[in-house]
Amino acid sequence: MTKSNESLADDFILVGFSDQPQLEKILFVVVLISYLLTLVGNTAIILVSCLDPILHTPMYYFLSNLSFVDLCFTTSIVPQLLWNLHGPSKTISPIGCAIQLYVSLSLGSTECVLLAIMAFDRYAAVCRPLHYPRVMHSRLCQSLAGMAWLSGMGNTLIQGTITLRLPRCGNNRIYHFICEVPAMIKLACVDIRVNEVQLLVASLVLLLLPLALILISYGCIVQAVMRIRSAQAWHKALGTCGSHLLVVSLFYGTITAIYIQPSSSYAHSQGKFITLLYTVLTPTLNPLIYTLRNKDVKGALKRLVRKDQSTAE
């Protein structure tokens, strides 16, 4: 019995939205529906990108990587969030918290770099169409995707390990619904100014640097299209890049508000709702944005459905 009590005392308490019980019930339904849509939508994109030969291009190779990142990212967060929203228990074990911290941070960092790579791919497709197959060859695509995954893992090993090694002096109440670096360093009972500077530097490198590359890529795309002065070219560029720009706006607009904002405002409920946007809502909307605005994906889905129906007959 004593061991059990000690174990519970060592667990972290995810305060989350526990001060608003009625809101928890609403959020449970919203998050559950969003998670199911995320699973279905991103799995569908991965399947059609792999099974349809027409989609065996760099754009859809990176898109399937993005869908896989979103699947794993939400799965590292949402099941625990649903458990905490549904029941009175708001605890998470130290091991569970560390796993969630490492996995979510790694995948979030990977997505930042991956979105920049996808912007470069769109730049090559629009601004260098004749050289595109030679520039974006399969080996380069695999190397770029590997770089995105490795950068995410590297950032996590540094930031995550430093954060978990901070002395907490018994503090175990996390004023958030996930184990995330900005919330975790608040538990430390030592001066955390150095850690906050490290977090800011990492955020600048993995958030603002990829964002700057994205803006440069799309700046070049706009210049190239304006030189052509063709309505058809504008329509093609918008169709090629519009979906990616919308995804970038959703993801970066929310995550930068958390990692770049002053740390003193992080514990406010506003920060929790912003985190909900990029951890739950954005991965749900990504497949909808890419399928609703993309004729190739919609066509591939129809061909896959017809193929399954003909096989069943």
Side-chain angles (χ1 to χ4, degrees), residues 94-108:
I95 294 177
C97 187
I99 292 173
Q100 187 181 76
L101 176 68
Y102 277 116
V103 174
S104 62
L105 180 59
S106 175
L107 294 169

PDB file of all heavy atoms in Angstrom, residues 94-108:
ATOM      1  N   PRO A  94       5.770   9.280 -14.777  1.00  0.00           N
ATOM      2  CA  PRO A  94       6.990   9.945 -15.253  1.00  0.00           C
ATOM      3  C   PRO A  94       7.485   9.387 -16.581  1.00  0.00           C
ATOM      4  O   PRO A  94       7.924  10.145 -17.456  1.00  0.00           O
ATOM      5  CB  PRO A  94       7.989   9.683 -14.128  1.00  0.00           C
ATOM      6  CG  PRO A  94       7.153   9.508 -12.909  1.00  0.00           C
ATOM      7  CD  PRO A  94       5.909   8.815 -13.380  1.00  0.00           C
ATOM      8  N   ILE A  95       7.409   8.054 -16.734  1.00  0.00           N
ATOM      9  CA  ILE A  95       7.844   7.440 -17.998  1.00  0.00           C
ATOM     10  C   ILE A  95       6.921   7.868 -19.139  1.00  0.00           C
ATOM     11  O   ILE A  95       7.360   8.213 -20.235  1.00  0.00           O
ATOM     12  CB  ILE A  95       7.880   5.904 -17.871  1.00  0.00           C
ATOM     13  CG1 ILE A  95       8.953   5.483 -16.869  1.00  0.00           C
ATOM     14  CG2 ILE A  95       8.130   5.260 -19.230  1.00  0.00           C
ATOM     15  CD1 ILE A  95       9.012   3.996 -16.613  1.00  0.00           C
ATOM     16  N   GLY A  96       5.599   7.854 -18.859  1.00  0.00           N
ATOM     17  CA  GLY A  96       4.640   8.272 -19.871  1.00  0.00           C
ATOM     18  C   GLY A  96       4.829   9.718 -20.271  1.00  0.00           C
ATOM     19  O   GLY A  96       4.736  10.078 -21.451  1.00  0.00           O
ATOM     20  N   CYS A  97       5.120  10.557 -19.285  1.00  0.00           N
ATOM     21  CA  CYS A  97       5.347  11.982 -19.553  1.00  0.00           C
ATOM     22  C   CYS A  97       6.611  12.179 -20.396  1.00  0.00           C
ATOM     23  O   CYS A  97       6.618  12.979 -21.335  1.00  0.00           O
ATOM     24  CB  CYS A  97       5.462  12.736 -18.227  1.00  0.00           C
ATOM     25  SG  CYS A  97       5.538  14.535 -18.408  1.00  0.00           S
ATOM     26  N   ALA A  98       7.667  11.441 -20.053  1.00  0.00           N
ATOM     27  CA  ALA A  98       8.920  11.558 -20.810  1.00  0.00           C
ATOM     28  C   ALA A  98       8.729  11.091 -22.255  1.00  0.00           C
ATOM     29  O   ALA A  98       9.212  11.736 -23.192  1.00  0.00           O
ATOM     30  CB  ALA A  98      10.011  10.737 -20.129  1.00  0.00           C
ATOM     31  N   ILE A  99       7.993   9.988 -22.443  1.00  0.00           N
ATOM     32  CA  ILE A  99       7.740   9.483 -23.793  1.00  0.00           C
ATOM     33  C   ILE A  99       6.940  10.497 -24.600  1.00  0.00           C
ATOM     34  O   ILE A  99       7.257  10.793 -25.760  1.00  0.00           O
ATOM     35  CB  ILE A  99       7.000   8.129 -23.739  1.00  0.00           C
ATOM     36  CG1 ILE A  99       7.919   7.042 -23.169  1.00  0.00           C
ATOM     37  CG2 ILE A  99       6.500   7.722 -25.119  1.00  0.00           C
ATOM     38  CD1 ILE A  99       7.231   5.710 -22.922  1.00  0.00           C
ATOM     39  N   GLN A 100       5.898  11.047 -23.968  1.00  0.00           N
ATOM     40  CA  GLN A 100       5.076  12.043 -24.660  1.00  0.00           C
ATOM     41  C   GLN A 100       5.894  13.273 -25.031  1.00  0.00           C
ATOM     42  O   GLN A 100       5.770  13.803 -26.137  1.00  0.00           O
ATOM     43  CB  GLN A 100       3.887  12.452 -23.784  1.00  0.00           C
ATOM     44  CG  GLN A 100       2.901  13.361 -24.497  1.00  0.00           C
ATOM     45  CD  GLN A 100       1.742  13.775 -23.613  1.00  0.00           C
ATOM     46  OE1 GLN A 100       1.891  14.618 -22.742  1.00  0.00           O
ATOM     47  NE2 GLN A 100       0.591  13.162 -23.824  1.00  0.00           N
ATOM     48  N   LEU A 101       6.754  13.701 -24.109  1.00  0.00           N
ATOM     49  CA  LEU A 101       7.600  14.872 -24.360  1.00  0.00           C
ATOM     50  C   LEU A 101       8.534  14.623 -25.537  1.00  0.00           C
ATOM     51  O   LEU A 101       8.616  15.434 -26.474  1.00  0.00           O
ATOM     52  CB  LEU A 101       8.404  15.214 -23.114  1.00  0.00           C
ATOM     53  CG  LEU A 101       9.407  16.365 -23.241  1.00  0.00           C
ATOM     54  CD1 LEU A 101       8.674  17.685 -23.416  1.00  0.00           C
ATOM     55  CD2 LEU A 101      10.319  16.425 -22.029  1.00  0.00           C
ATOM     56  N   TYR A 102       9.241  13.490 -25.518  1.00  0.00           N
ATOM     57  CA  TYR A 102      10.207  13.178 -26.575  1.00  0.00           C
ATOM     58  C   TYR A 102       9.519  13.001 -27.933  1.00  0.00           C
ATOM     59  O   TYR A 102       9.964  13.554 -28.948  1.00  0.00           O
ATOM     60  CB  TYR A 102      10.989  11.911 -26.228  1.00  0.00           C
ATOM     61  CG  TYR A 102      12.169  12.135 -25.317  1.00  0.00           C
ATOM     62  CD1 TYR A 102      12.215  11.571 -24.044  1.00  0.00           C
ATOM     63  CD2 TYR A 102      13.255  12.906 -25.720  1.00  0.00           C
ATOM     64  CE1 TYR A 102      13.308  11.767 -23.198  1.00  0.00           C
ATOM     65  CE2 TYR A 102      14.350  13.107 -24.896  1.00  0.00           C
ATOM     66  CZ  TYR A 102      14.369  12.537 -23.631  1.00  0.00           C
ATOM     67  OH  TYR A 102      15.447  12.735 -22.804  1.00  0.00           O
ATOM     68  N   VAL A 103       8.443  12.224 -27.950  1.00  0.00           N
ATOM     69  CA  VAL A 103       7.789  11.902 -29.224  1.00  0.00           C
ATOM     70  C   VAL A 103       7.128  13.137 -29.834  1.00  0.00           C
ATOM     71  O   VAL A 103       7.315  13.435 -31.018  1.00  0.00           O
ATOM     72  CB  VAL A 103       6.755  10.773 -29.027  1.00  0.00           C
ATOM     73  CG1 VAL A 103       5.973  10.540 -30.314  1.00  0.00           C
ATOM     74  CG2 VAL A 103       7.450   9.482 -28.605  1.00  0.00           C
ATOM     75  N   SER A 104       6.349  13.871 -29.035  1.00  0.00           N
ATOM     76  CA  SER A 104       5.641  15.040 -29.581  1.00  0.00           C
ATOM     77  C   SER A 104       6.608  16.137 -30.005  1.00  0.00           C
ATOM     78  O   SER A 104       6.418  16.772 -31.044  1.00  0.00           O
ATOM     79  CB  SER A 104       4.636  15.574 -28.552  1.00  0.00           C
ATOM     80  OG  SER A 104       5.289  16.005 -27.374  1.00  0.00           O
ATOM     81  N   LEU A 105       7.667  16.355 -29.218  1.00  0.00           N
ATOM     82  CA  LEU A 105       8.646  17.379 -29.578  1.00  0.00           C
ATOM     83  C   LEU A 105       9.399  16.995 -30.843  1.00  0.00           C
ATOM     84  O   LEU A 105       9.648  17.830 -31.724  1.00  0.00           O
ATOM     85  CB  LEU A 105       9.623  17.595 -28.425  1.00  0.00           C
ATOM     86  CG  LEU A 105      10.726  18.646 -28.630  1.00  0.00           C
ATOM     87  CD1 LEU A 105      10.116  20.015 -28.918  1.00  0.00           C
ATOM     88  CD2 LEU A 105      11.634  18.726 -27.410  1.00  0.00           C
ATOM     89  N   SER A 106       9.756  15.721 -30.955  1.00  0.00           N
ATOM     90  CA  SER A 106      10.471  15.248 -32.141  1.00  0.00           C
ATOM     91  C   SER A 106       9.619  15.403 -33.395  1.00  0.00           C
ATOM     92  O   SER A 106      10.077  15.911 -34.425  1.00  0.00           O
ATOM     93  CB  SER A 106      10.877  13.785 -31.950  1.00  0.00           C
ATOM     94  OG  SER A 106      11.461  13.273 -33.132  1.00  0.00           O
ATOM     95  N   LEU A 107       8.354  14.996 -33.311  1.00  0.00           N
ATOM     96  CA  LEU A 107       7.479  15.056 -34.473  1.00  0.00           C
ATOM     97  C   LEU A 107       7.097  16.496 -34.824  1.00  0.00           C
ATOM     98  O   LEU A 107       6.993  16.843 -36.003  1.00  0.00           O
ATOM     99  CB  LEU A 107       6.225  14.216 -34.214  1.00  0.00           C
ATOM    100  CG  LEU A 107       6.484  12.713 -34.090  1.00  0.00           C
ATOM    101  CD1 LEU A 107       5.244  11.996 -33.578  1.00  0.00           C
ATOM    102  CD2 LEU A 107       6.912  12.127 -35.425  1.00  0.00           C
ATOM    103  N   GLY A 108       6.898  17.332 -33.807  1.00  0.00           N
ATOM    104  CA  GLY A 108       6.604  18.734 -34.077  1.00  0.00           C
ATOM    105  C   GLY A 108       7.763  19.424 -34.766  1.00  0.00           C
ATOM    106  O   GLY A 108       7.572  20.202 -35.714  1.00  0.00           O
TER     107      GLY A 108
END
